[in-house]
Amino acid sequence: MSEKQFNGRSAIVTGGTRGIGKAISLELARRGANVAFNYSKSADEAERLKAEIEALGVKAYAAQCDVARTVASAEFVAKVKEEFGGIDYLVNNAGITRDQLILRMKEEDWDAVIDTNLKGAWNFSKAAIRPMMRNENGGSILNISSISGVVGMLGQSNYSASKAGMIGLTKSLAKEIASRKVTVNALALGLIETDMASGMNDEYREKIIAQIPLGRLGSVAEVADIACFMLSPSAAYITGQVIQADGGLAM
Ligand code: NDP
């Protein structure tokens, strides 16, 4: 792998301010890509990350944009195209949880999770594929899904459905745009050390770790490495696939 394998390329990462999205944004920038990211509330974190990306010698663009909103998502993508001159990669990463057993889950918790995680990925994909299809070398989309969408998880009917939906979106879109050299894949992650995972109490955490064959949570650096591989020319012959990175949890 060359150090600057993404030199001159442009990427969008949704939900870049924290956790996995931040790690992927920084790794893409380290490898030479211009990086645009959006966020929901974390304006200060966004400013800091934008400066960090620019310090790596590439362009950065950041703006508040709710991925659940179709028009705003299209406007964000159009602005990135204007700023960077094109779009090569999209990482649909923005996601939320609102866990609750279905009998106690409120309709708004179902809607918020489906709208953010699934419709958000659809919104950004729809807006970004046209510029990607016009590229001579195509492009690549990576959807950040979860093993919750593969095997289901207690208390996550909304989240599991959204993440399973992303897998369907991945496969369908991969078939639609393969002829234009645009690949679409999903990462089904297990537990990764981020704010999202820090909500677990110690007892539950130990219980989960005991079930992970590799005996630990994954790190955001590991996810960023896998994401960069999936977007890179090394993965050009992989499309419509779900790559599980979960320490062996959901074999
Ligand atoms: P975090 O909660 O740490 O970060 C979520 C990011 O998404 C933040 O940047 C947040 O912005 C942004 N975001 C949330 N809602 C919206 C929205 N409506 N519009 C735009 N941006 C939004 O999450 P993680 O890094 O842990 O997770 C990232 C992805 O990985 C998610 O899709 C998650 O489902 C998936 N995943 C995570 C796992 C884990 O163990 N951590 C396991 C499996 C999958 P802001 O800072 O402004 O709130």
Side-chain angles (χ1 to χ4, degrees):
M1 188 260 307
S2 85
E3 257 291 280
K4 298 281 180 184
Q5 64 185 150
F6 297 125
N7 238 341
R9 298 296 167 95
S10 298
I12 294 176
V13 179
T14 67
T17 38
R18 292 184 281 119
I20 292 163
K22 180 178 178 181
I24 294 174
S25 297
L26 281 169
E27 195 53 37
L28 283 166
R30 272 183 215 113
R31 298 184 192 199
N34 299 320
V35 178
F37 65 90
N38 69 323
Y39 59 94
S40 172
K41 302 181 204 93
S42 308
D44 292 348
E45 280 86 345
E47 271 310 303
R48 276 195 291 273
L49 179 61
K50 183 169 178 282
E52 240 182 291
I53 291 171
E54 283 167 345
L56 292 164
V58 295
K59 289 186 200 164
Y61 175 77
Q64 195 284 334
C65 167
D66 182 351
V67 293
R69 303 180 73 90
T70 306
V71 174
S73 299
E75 285 169 358
F76 180 91
V77 172
K79 184 74 184 152
V80 175
K81 187 169 170 269
E82 194 185 306
E83 295 278 321
F84 293 172
I87 297 163
D88 301 284
Y89 312 116
L90 167 65
V91 181
N92 283 311
N93 165 78
I96 56 168
T97 51
R98 296 275 188 278
D99 293 359
Q100 189 55 270
L101 295 174
I102 194 164
L103 289 177
R104 289 194 210 130
M105 187 179 286
K106 297 196 180 90
E107 183 185 355
E108 58 254 39
D109 294 331
W110 168 268
D111 288 344
V113 169
I114 299 290
D115 286 354
T116 304
N117 301 4
L118 181 55
K119 188 175 177 194
W122 183 84
N123 281 337
F124 267 74
S125 299
K126 185 173 165 64
I129 55 173
R130 209 182 293 275
M132 282 186 193
M133 291 192 309
R134 291 204 185 108
N135 294 338
E136 198 190 329
N137 294 316
S140 188
I141 297 176
L142 187 64
N143 291 322
I144 307 298
S145 181
S146 161
I147 55 162
S148 183
V150 178
V151 295
M153 292 282 170
L154 198 107
Q156 292 201 317
S157 57
N158 50 0
Y159 185 77
S160 294
S162 73
K163 294 300 183 181
M166 284 180 96
I167 292 173
L169 171 67
T170 299
K171 293 180 186 227
S172 187
L173 195 52
K175 286 182 179 169
E176 282 188 31
I177 57 180
S179 65
R180 311 301 286 269
K181 295 196 224 164
V182 182
T183 61
V184 190
N185 291 290
L187 276 190
L189 300 175
L191 272 176
I192 309 299
E193 204 74 74
T194 68
D195 290 352
M196 192 177 267
S198 68
M200 289 183 290
N201 66 40
D202 288 350
E203 195 187 334
Y204 184 68
R205 191 185 172 91
E206 288 311 314
K207 229 168 107 182
I208 292 277
I209 288 177
Q211 292 168 35
I212 302 173
L214 286 179
R216 64 176 178 86
L217 270 61
S219 72
V220 295
E222 287 173 311
V223 176
D225 254 346
I226 301 166
C228 285
F229 167 74
M230 291 305 296
L231 297 172
S232 77
S234 306
Y237 201 54
I238 304 176
T239 196
Q241 302 304 307
V242 183
I243 309 296
Q244 266 181 233
D246 63 356
L249 179 59
M251 278 192 247

